[in-house]
Each structure stands twice: as structure tokens, then as C-alpha cells.
């Protein structure tokens, strides 16, 4: 199967979480509190796509199949896409697009601060994901895009602190285990160990 | 000639009227069984937890203590619940509360009272005239509903047991039976769930001992067979499936303030000016079928019940006693 066809399939699959929300909404199945449901769903998908994006390079050196990295950009942009929806729904439906109200929340509440910083950095990465920016930034591009590791950690803290009030950490721990493994695998020493 | 079997005594023969009554009973039982089976099929899971006790409660609307806001639908009230004894997700209680056994049920009232006692649920329900109260319910998480409850003021029960002068607080203890409540496996909260009020709060006429909603016996996921509803406080103060009420002289330990003291205080009065550490409490999502695009509404101090309860907190620093 050629890579372009696989990419198209992945693209369609990556839209399923969004289509699902529309279908649930159409049939009135977004629970009694749709805003919370949509916010949480898009948040969970953001961190899922972040994990998938981070998984591509390790998969390349583990399986030896070089094509994995060709999905990295698309998955990263989908990660940003769901983060954008997550932020927009929260800003629009939860804060009635009131900028002061929104920024106050960002400043006052550490868990939102973490999510917001992660989103701002992610926006920079999304803006510079094209060929022109890549050529323009040169060596700096790679440095800039290493910030995805920081985004992963900020995203986890955001999620963890959000769940802290109810001590409901089961799912957070799963994502933390995945993301930390994907980060540890990148350490040159660990990488060498796996290769041998 | 009439044959007579001497081994059959006349007392062994079932009189005709009783015999026929038995037939009738069998028919009713069979029909009822089939009907119950069919209704499960047609209504599906969402209502399965309620169908076996969908009994009507006759009650009279108490207008003085009812709000005129648009009601939240029965479906939303019974399918979006925080009742961690049956799981952490909002949909869990509707799914898993079927296993709760609500009859027989007793509630014991003890502690600093003249006449402690154990009340059977069915006789307790007859203690005073059942009223309908349309209350706002504001969850600490930032959403709210408008619910027509059925019950009577808790004060009727408290008066019956005659609190001693030394009693200052009331403690509510919910059922904690791992056989009936799958959520008890979770360590999120210490079990049993405990809540409490100051005695004057408990005697406030708004504090409702609640047995039903929408004119029917409480669905299991909403805290059957008996709970309290304290409409000017965040929802978690309104303990569900209560088995014990204790009057004490010391402020009782309450579940949520035990696990996260900074986030949930003993009073937990609805207050837009006191933020939860992780979100503002100044606004709320009203769940009443409105479009998701409609803006949030302002949260009112004491959930709008200030005229009835503000006097309870006169002179108190509500920032400190949150």
C-alpha cells in the first residue's frame, strides 16, 4: 500500500472524534451537560494525538520502517486542531468570549495556566509547521519543535491538577505512563540499549 | 351414593373463594412479571433502575419555598448524577444503582436527643404531609438544575426525637454496602459518605427530608429511599441514601472537606464571591434544555435563597467559613 493512501486513511480516521461529537449532538446524546462533555472529549483527544505524535520517531527506530515519521506532522497538526477546539469551546461557551474573565482564570488557576501555556507553545509549532517556516528557521526549527516534549509535560500537569480535586487519577496515570515512556525512549543511552 | 374419602379432612379442602383468589393472584403475578419484562425491553437501561419503584407520591406544592424557574427534565435529573457509591462518571449511577436495595430500610436517629429511635422508611414517610418543593440545585462543579422534590422539612423528624440543649450539629451518614454499591471499591472518598449541618441550618424550613422527585418515589440514582436536600448549599452537602442521623455537640467531619479541605469547606454555601481553587463560582451552566450556545447565568449568593437563610450567617466571614 502506498504512503499517500495510508495518509489519507489516517486523515479520515483522525476526524472521527469530531464527527462523533456532531453525531452525538444531533441525537441529543451529549449528556445533560454538553459543554463539559465536549470540553473534556476534545481535551482527551488532544493528549491522545500528542502521544501518537510522540510515538512516531521511536517507532521508526524500533521497527526500522522509516515511513513512520511521515505521519508525524499530520498527527501533530491534529493534536493542535483538537487543542484549538478544546480552548475555543472553553473560551466561548464557558467564558462567554469575555477576554478579561478568561485571562483572569488563566492567571489565577494553576491548572489552567499549564494548559494555556501548552496551547500557546503548540500554536507556535503549528504556525511553523510549513515548508517556508522550516526553510526560514533552519537549524532553529528543530530546536523550536523540541518544545513538544515540554508541551507533553505541561499537558500532563494540566490534566493531573484538573483531576486532583476528586483524586480521580486512573486515566491520568495511563497517559502519564505512555508519555513518559515515549520521552525516556528518546534519551540516547536508553535508545542505544533498545537498539542493541 | 356419595363417595367419601375419610383420609381427606374437611379442613384440608380449600374453600372456593380462597381457591379463586389464588388463581387470580397467580394470573396477576404472571401478567405483572411479563409486563415488567416488557417495560424493561422498551424503556431500556436508562429507566431500568427506576421502573420497579415508580410509585406515585401524592403531595401538595409549597409555593412559598418553590422557585418559578424552568424545570430540568426527568431524564437529565436521573441520568446526570454525582453518586460515587455507584461510580465516578455522571452516567454511572443511572447504570449501576439498580443493585441498591431500598426495602426494607431503616434510618436511625441518635446522639444528643431525648428520644433516639429507628424509623422504618414507610412509617417515616407518613410522619408529616408530603410537599412538593421546586428547588434550584447548584453543583460545586459549576452546573445547576431545577428539581421538583417531594418530602417534608427535616425539622419534623428532629422535633420528634427532641434534641437536647447540648446538640449543636447534625450528622448524616449514607449507606456503605460494597455488595450493593460497586463504587465503594474506589478510594476517592472514605466510606461511608458523611455530611453535616449546624443545628439551626438543619431546622431551617428549607432543609428538606426528601423521598421523591417529579411526584414519584426517588429513583435509586438520586439517593433513594431517603435523602436530604439543602438548596442554598452546593449539591454534595445533600447526602443521599441516608441510614443514620446523629446529633452532636462538635462539628462533624464531612467527606469532601476531609479529602480536600481547601476546596470544600464544612459550610459550602453557594457563593459567587468565593472561588473554588480550580474554577470561579461566579457563573453556572443551567441544565434545562437550553441551547449549548446560550451563555452561562450568574450564580446568586445562597443560590438565591438569601431571604430565608442569610440570617443564619449574620456576622460570619463567608470567605473564611466557606
Amino acid at each position: 500500500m502506498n504512503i499517500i493512501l495510508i495518509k489519507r486513511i489516517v486523515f479520515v480516521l483522525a476526524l472521527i472524534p469530531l464527527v462523533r461529537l456532531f453525531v452525538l449532538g444531533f441525537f441529543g446524546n451529549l449528556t445533560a451537560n454538553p459543554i463539559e462533555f465536549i470540553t473534556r472529549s476534545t481535551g482527551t483527544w488532544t493528549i491522545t494525538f500528542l502521544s501518537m505524535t510522540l510515538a512516531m520517531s521511536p517507532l521508526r527506530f524500533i521497527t526500522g520502517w522509516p515511513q513512520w515519521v511521515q505521519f508525524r506532522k499530520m498527527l501533530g497538526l491534529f493534536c493542535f486542531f483538537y487543542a484549538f477546539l478544546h480552548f475555543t469551546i472553553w473560551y466561548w461557551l464557558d467564558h462567554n468570549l469575555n477576554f478579561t474573565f478568561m485571562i483572569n482564570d488563566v492567571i489565577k488557576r494553576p491548572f489552567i495556566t499549564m494548559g494555556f501555556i501548552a496551547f500557546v507553545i503548540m500554536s507556535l509549532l503549528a504556525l511553523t509547521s510549513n515548508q517556508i517556516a522550516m526553510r526560514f528557521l533552519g537549524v532553529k526549527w528543530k530546536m523550536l519543535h523540541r518544545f513538544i516534549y515540554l508541551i507533553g509535560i505541561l499537558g500532563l500537569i494540566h490534566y493531573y491538577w484538573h483531576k486532583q480535586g476528586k483524586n480521580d487519577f486512573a486515566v491520568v496515570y495511563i497517559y502519564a505512563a505512555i508519555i513518559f515512556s515515549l520521552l525516556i525512549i528518546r534519551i540516547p543511552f536508553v535508545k542505544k540499549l533498545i537498539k542493541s | 351414593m356419595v363417595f367419601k374419602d375419610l383420609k381427606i379432612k374437611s379442613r384440608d379442602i380449600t374453600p372456593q373463594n380462597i381457591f379463586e383468589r389464588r388463581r387470580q393472584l397467580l394470573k396477576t403475578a404472571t401478567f405483572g412479571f411479563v409486563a415488567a419484562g416488557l417495560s424493561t425491553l422498551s424503556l431500556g437501561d436508562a429507566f431500568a433502575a427506576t421502573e420497579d419503584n415508580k410509585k406515585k407520591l401524592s403531595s401538595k406544592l409549597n409555593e412559598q419555598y418553590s422557585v418559578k424557574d424552568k424545570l430540568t427534565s426527568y431524564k437529565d435529573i436521573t441520568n446526570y448524577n454525582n453518586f460515587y457509591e455507584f461510580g465516578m462518571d455522571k452516567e454511572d449511577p443511572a447504570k449501576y444503582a439498580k443493585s441498591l436495595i431500598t426495602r426494607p430500610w431503616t434510618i436511625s436517629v441518635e446522639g444528643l436527643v431525648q428520644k433516639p429511635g429507628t424509623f422504618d422508611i414507610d412509617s417515616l414517610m407518613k410522619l408529616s404531609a408530603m410537599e412538593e418543593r421546586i428547588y434550584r440545585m447548584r453543583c460545586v462543579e459549576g452546573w445547576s438544575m431545577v428539581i421538583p422534590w417531594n418530602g417534608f422539612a427535616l425539622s419534623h423528624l428532629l422535633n420528634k426525637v427532641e434534641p437536647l440543649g447540648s446538640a449543636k450539629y447534625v450528622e448524616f451518614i449514607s449507606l456503605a454496602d460494597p455488595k450493593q454499591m460497586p463504587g465503594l471499591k474506589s478510594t476517592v472518598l472514605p466510606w461511608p459518605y458523611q455530611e453535616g449541618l449546624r443545628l439551626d441550618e438543619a431546622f431551617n424550613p428549607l432543609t428538606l427530608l426528601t423521598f421523591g422527585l417529579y411526584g414519584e418515589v426517588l429513583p435509586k440514582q438520586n439517593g433513594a429511599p431517603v435523602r436530604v436536600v439543602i438548596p442554598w448549599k452546593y449539591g454534595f452537602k445533600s447526602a443521599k441514601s441516608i441510614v443514620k442521623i446523629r446529633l452532636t455537640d462538635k462539628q462533624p467531619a464531612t467527606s469532601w472537606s476531609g479529602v480536600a479541605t481547601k476546596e470544600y469547606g464544612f459550610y459550602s454555601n453557594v457563593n459567587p464571591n468565593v472561588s473554588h481553587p480550580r474554577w470561579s463560582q461566579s457563573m453556572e451552566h443551567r441544565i434545562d434544555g437550553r441551547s449549548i450556545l446560550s451563555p452561562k447565568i450568574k450564580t446568586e449568593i445562597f443560590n438565591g435563597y438569601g431571604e430565608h437563610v442569610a440570617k443564619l450567617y449574620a456576622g460570619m466571614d463567608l470567605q473564611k467559613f466557606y
Side-chain angles (χ1 to χ4, degrees):
Chain A
M1 211 167 13
N2 76 45
I3 194 81
I4 294 168
L5 183 61
I6 305 175
K7 266 188 168 172
R8 281 183 186 156
I9 294 169
V10 173
F11 186 88
V12 173
L13 290 177
L15 283 170
I16 289 175
L18 179 68
V19 175
R20 169 176 169 260
L21 290 176
F22 277 107
V23 172
L24 288 175
F26 183 78
F27 290 105
N29 287 331
L30 288 170
T31 79
N33 193 349
I35 299 169
E36 186 189 82
F37 185 87
I38 298 170
T39 312
R40 294 196 177 174
S41 171
T42 48
T44 313
W45 281 106
T46 303
I47 200 158
T48 305
F49 276 99
L50 187 83
S51 311
M52 289 195 273
T53 311
L54 283 172
M56 294 302 116
S57 304
L59 278 172
R60 176 178 57 178
F61 76 74
I62 290 169
T63 63
W65 191 55
Q67 314 286 1
W68 284 112
V69 282
Q70 295 210 23
F71 297 99
R72 197 168 52 186
K73 177 173 155 185
M74 184 168 59
L75 292 172
L77 282 172
F78 267 110
C79 172
F80 173 71
F81 175 65
Y82 284 105
F84 179 77
L85 291 178
H86 181 64
F87 171 78
T88 309
I89 296 287
W90 172 80
Y91 179 33
W92 178 20
L93 300 180
D94 215 77
H95 290 70
N96 301 341
L97 293 178
N98 181 332
F99 188 77
T100 333
F101 187 28
M102 186 273 283
I103 283 296
N104 275 341
D105 248 12
V106 169
I107 296 164
K108 272 210 317 230
R109 300 175 214 293
F111 100 91
I112 297 176
T113 318
M114 293 300 137
F116 188 77
I117 297 173
F119 178 66
V120 171
I121 302 174
M122 208 189 279
S123 310
L124 289 178
L125 302 200
L127 280 172
T128 57
S129 63
N130 52 66
Q131 291 291 327
I132 305 161
M134 231 170 153
R135 238 171 280 146
F136 179 76
L137 288 165
V139 208
K140 281 182 228 144
W141 188 89
K142 208 169 179 178
M143 299 248 291
L144 179 67
H145 281 251
R146 285 219 166 113
F147 273 101
I148 189 171
Y149 309 142
L150 180 66
I151 292 171
I153 290 164
L154 292 173
L156 278 176
I157 300 173
H158 170 67
Y159 199 11
Y160 183 89
W161 280 350
H162 171 66
K163 292 288 185 184
Q164 195 167 39
K166 295 200 167 177
N167 289 328
D168 179 18
F169 295 126
V171 184
V172 183
Y173 288 151
I174 297 171
Y175 279 106
I178 293 170
I179 288 177
F180 279 121
S181 317
L182 290 170
L183 293 183
I184 290 167
I185 268 181
R186 291 177 150 78
I187 301 170
F189 161 76
V190 183
K191 212 168 169 177
K192 227 182 260 169
L193 218 69
I194 292 171
K195 270 185 179 166
S196 63
Chain B
M1 193 188 142
V2 179
F3 173 74
K4 210 172 173 186
D5 188 343
L6 294 172
K7 276 177 275 178
I8 300 175
K9 303 211 171 69
S10 65
R11 66 162 191 267
D12 292 330
I13 298 168
T14 312
Q16 192 182 359
N17 60 338
I18 291 182
F19 173 82
E20 271 169 10
R21 224 194 296 156
R22 280 188 198 156
R23 292 277 111 177
Q24 193 53 45
L25 259 172
L26 273 171
K27 264 190 217 162
T28 321
T30 317
F31 178 75
F33 190 73
V34 173
L38 283 175
S39 69
T40 314
L41 278 178
S42 55
L43 289 171
D45 257 8
F47 294 101
T50 63
E51 104 231 341
D52 55 336
N53 55 357
K54 260 201 160 180
K55 267 192 254 144
K56 296 278 175 220
L57 289 177
S58 60
S59 63
K60 200 166 164 277
L61 178 70
N62 183 328
E63 285 189 54
Q64 191 194 351
Y65 296 129
S66 290
V67 295
K68 300 224 158 34
D69 305 24
K70 187 185 172 202
L71 296 182
T72 303
S73 72
Y74 185 84
K75 180 174 177 254
D76 284 345
I77 295 171
T78 56
N79 285 280
Y80 192 78
N81 308 96
N82 279 322
F83 195 174
Y84 286 7
E85 283 85 337
F86 296 103
M88 302 278 292
D89 288 340
K90 298 283 194 294
E91 295 77 23
D92 285 345
K95 272 189 227 154
Y96 303 119
K98 282 171 235 169
S99 51
L100 180 68
I101 301 160
T102 57
R103 291 293 186 287
W105 189 282
T106 56
I107 176 165
S108 69
V109 189
E110 53 185 60
L112 303 174
V113 293
Q114 198 74 256
K115 294 179 178 164
T118 300
F119 296 81
D120 175 71
I121 183 71
D122 293 305
S123 49
L124 179 63
M125 287 169 79
K126 294 183 196 111
L127 187 69
S128 184
M130 201 70 81
E131 294 172 20
E132 180 172 72
R133 305 258 189 112
I134 302 169
Y135 281 169
R136 296 186 197 99
M137 208 282 297
R138 169 65 156 78
C139 179
V140 73
E141 296 167 342
W143 50 270
S144 62
M145 293 186 178
V146 179
I147 307 174
W149 300 106
N150 306 97
F152 48 78
L154 176 68
S155 59
H156 292 292
L157 175 60
L158 295 176
N159 281 328
K160 178 121 179 133
V161 297
E162 297 176 18
L164 299 174
S166 52
K168 294 283 178 285
Y169 294 91
V170 183
E171 187 178 21
F172 304 99
I173 297 163
S174 299
L175 181 75
D177 179 359
K179 288 199 288 290
Q180 299 178 49
M181 301 172 142
L184 297 194
K185 279 186 245 126
S186 152
T187 52
V188 162
L189 283 170
W191 310 107
Y193 192 81
Q194 298 185 6
E195 257 310 331
L197 293 174
R198 227 168 51 193
L199 193 65
D200 56 347
E201 296 177 323
F203 266 103
N204 187 281
L206 280 177
T207 302
L208 195 70
L209 192 63
T210 307
F211 305 93
L213 65 86
Y214 264 109
E216 286 167 8
V217 163
L218 273 180
K220 291 175 175 178
Q221 61 269 38
N222 291 83
V226 57
R227 62 175 297 172
V228 283
V229 175
I230 305 127
W232 73 94
K233 290 173 181 282
Y234 292 119
F236 68 89
K237 291 295 292 179
S238 298
K240 303 185 182 82
S241 303
I242 296 170
V243 290
K244 194 181 283 183
I245 296 177
R246 193 171 359 189
L247 282 85
T248 61
D249 53 355
K250 286 186 192 69
Q251 181 175 305
T254 58
S255 294
W256 278 113
S257 64
V259 294
T261 317
K262 279 190 193 140
E263 304 197 1
Y264 313 101
F266 174 78
Y267 285 95
S268 288
N269 292 318
V270 175
N271 189 343
N273 309 316
V274 177
S275 293
H276 182 278
R278 283 173 296 117
W279 57 84
S280 157
Q281 292 291 29
S282 64
M283 308 283 260
E284 67 199 50
H285 286 295
R286 175 60 58 83
I287 297 169
D288 62 359
R290 66 181 69 193
S291 148
I292 62 165
L293 301 182
S294 46
K296 292 209 278 188
I297 58 172
K298 278 204 164 73
T299 292
E300 292 178 74
I301 185 136
F302 301 120
N303 207 16
Y305 292 97
E307 56 165 321
H308 303 292
V309 300
K311 55 183 185 283
L312 297 172
Y313 312 102
M316 264 174 81
D317 180 358
L318 296 174
Q319 302 282 334
K320 197 173 156 215
F321 297 100
Y322 55 91

